[in-house]
Amino acid sequence: MAQTAPLLEVLPRDLSAYRIGNTGIDYVHRFDSGRPGPHVLINALTHGNEVCGMVAATHLLDTGVQPRIGTLTVSFAHVAAYEAFRQDDPFANRQLVHNLNRVWSDEWLDGPEHSPELKRARELRPIVAAADHILDIHSTSQPVVPFWVYPGFERNARAALALGALGRVAVHLQMPRGLGSGTPLIEHGRHGRPDDTAGVALVVECGQHFLQTSADLATVTALDFLAYFGLIDTPAEAPATASRQRRFELLQTCLVRTPEFRFVRPLVGFETFASGELIATDGDAGEIRAPCDDCTVMMPTRAPVVGREAVYLTRPLAS
């Protein structure tokens, strides 16, 4: 089925001026207040075509945001993929070989394989490990409402619900058993464990990749995150009427198994299915059916690729 071309309101810009930071690692900048406080990482461009994070990160650097306590680190994760952007195929540069947001386990990072993504993850490993709190900025291929994604630990839920109460991002996807298709950056090391030694680690999905509204939301959400931990003063006022927060629990991450994968109807995300209802067929690999009533699909693939995620199946949680 033919896909509608996306609206390209925000396009990549030259990032070469940000390559040399002060950490010894390209495209990583650190600002120490000299006062006690948390170390907060704002990470952008884990996927090369998710440009809203680039807008947020460059805003922090261009406007000279400095922490009044603790330490702020700003990183551009995958500039190599970002620089491969083509306006005639704007979804193609999500990754070059591996998905940079699935390789954050010790098995991958200490393993024998090599790729641009593994090279960069190994470079960024000490940056991620040093952070107390992490905001990883992402976007979606379809123009759906923004939402948080996080491991289902109380520390993450508490922070996300407090930030969600501001009214900008009011939907939550909790992962009680991990992502199911690899280890994302926000589950690296201590951030993937339930003990109290770890801080908060959240993904914010800001909306469709190339929309100005997504870039604007990424920027204000980064500021909200810094303000929540006391690094800066509270930024712009929240909307006068906040949306009711909605929470979903990840039940299953479905992969594309065969080239014959097809959804039963076009999906963009947040469609619901009754228990047992057919969602997709996947050639000889069989069918994907809803495991419960009110099964809500998130991030359905726009172009199936064997071995990559097809769709995330969730269920709503009581608010």
Side-chain angles (χ1 to χ4, degrees):
M1 183 175 295
Q3 296 282 345
T4 302
L7 186 62
L8 301 177
E9 296 178 340
V10 179
L11 294 172
R13 55 178 279 197
D14 181 15
L15 294 183
S16 58
Y18 305 93
R19 183 174 71 84
I20 304 300
N22 58 350
T23 64
I25 300 172
D26 284 354
Y27 296 103
V28 180
H29 301 256
R30 179 167 293 161
F31 307 95
D32 189 336
S33 70
R35 301 177 62 190
H39 183 170
V40 177
L41 170 63
I42 304 294
N43 185 64
L45 292 179
T46 300
H47 296 132
N49 63 340
E50 298 184 9
V51 294
C52 66
M54 173 275 296
V55 174
T58 56
H59 173 85
L60 296 177
L61 298 174
D62 293 348
T63 59
V65 171
Q66 295 284 333
R68 62 183 186 180
I69 63 169
T71 300
L72 165 64
T73 297
V74 179
S75 58
F76 302 89
H78 202 348
V79 176
Y82 171 86
E83 291 177 339
F85 177 81
R86 289 171 35 207
Q87 194 163 334
D88 64 335
D89 192 4
F91 295 97
N93 65 313
R94 172 181 171 85
Q95 63 195 67
L96 299 178
V97 178
H98 293 112
N99 185 335
L100 181 56
N101 207 30
R102 303 292 183 270
V103 299
W104 288 91
S105 66
D106 291 342
E107 290 77 13
W108 274 102
L109 296 176
D110 296 331
E113 293 199 47
H114 296 276
S115 70
E117 287 79 13
L118 284 166
K119 178 177 183 293
R120 184 59 170 164
R122 289 162 182 154
E123 292 172 351
L124 292 175
R125 192 179 196 175
I127 300 299
V128 175
D132 296 313
H133 308 298
I134 299 170
L135 178 66
D136 192 17
I137 303 175
H138 288 253
S139 53
T140 52
S141 60
Q142 302 287 358
V144 296
V145 297
F147 55 99
W148 304 102
V149 184
Y150 47 88
F153 306 135
E154 175 58 29
R155 61 181 184 261
N156 290 330
R158 183 169 55 248
L161 287 166
L163 291 162
L166 298 174
R168 304 188 222 278
V169 183
V171 177
H172 304 252
L173 175 57
Q174 298 182 10
M175 303 184 296
R177 293 168 294 278
L179 185 61
S181 56
T183 304
L185 184 150
I186 60 169
E187 288 190 309
H188 175 61
R190 60 194 174 113
H191 287 96
R193 297 193 291 266
D195 57 73
D196 294 335
T197 63
V200 170
L202 308 177
V203 160
V204 61
E205 297 280 358
C206 295
Q208 202 275 340
H209 300 321
F210 310 106
L211 295 182
Q212 185 63 51
T213 53
S214 301
D216 294 342
L217 180 64
T219 300
V220 74
T221 301
L223 295 171
D224 285 338
F225 195 80
L226 295 177
Y228 178 77
F229 291 106
L231 272 68
I232 64 171
D233 293 325
T234 303
E237 292 185 5
T241 303
S243 301
R244 179 179 64 88
Q245 298 202 61
R246 295 185 291 154
R247 299 185 302 133
F248 297 85
E249 178 184 68
L250 179 63
L251 299 175
Q252 184 179 352
T253 300
C254 301
L255 301 181
V256 177
R257 304 292 186 184
T258 75
E260 289 74 43
F261 180 92
R262 299 289 186 276
F263 288 115
V264 295
R265 65 176 188 267
L267 300 176
V268 299
F270 290 93
E271 294 88 353
T272 60
F273 291 79
S275 180
E277 187 175 354
L278 184 63
I279 297 172
T281 58
D282 197 1
D284 293 339
E287 301 173 336
I288 297 174
R289 291 184 177 270
C292 63
D293 282 331
D294 296 320
C295 177
T296 304
V297 299
M298 289 193 177
M299 294 181 285
T301 181
R302 66 178 301 277
V305 176
V306 173
R308 297 188 187 179
E309 291 90 345
V311 65
Y312 299 85
L313 306 184
T314 78
R315 69 179 182 95
L317 297 174
S319 299

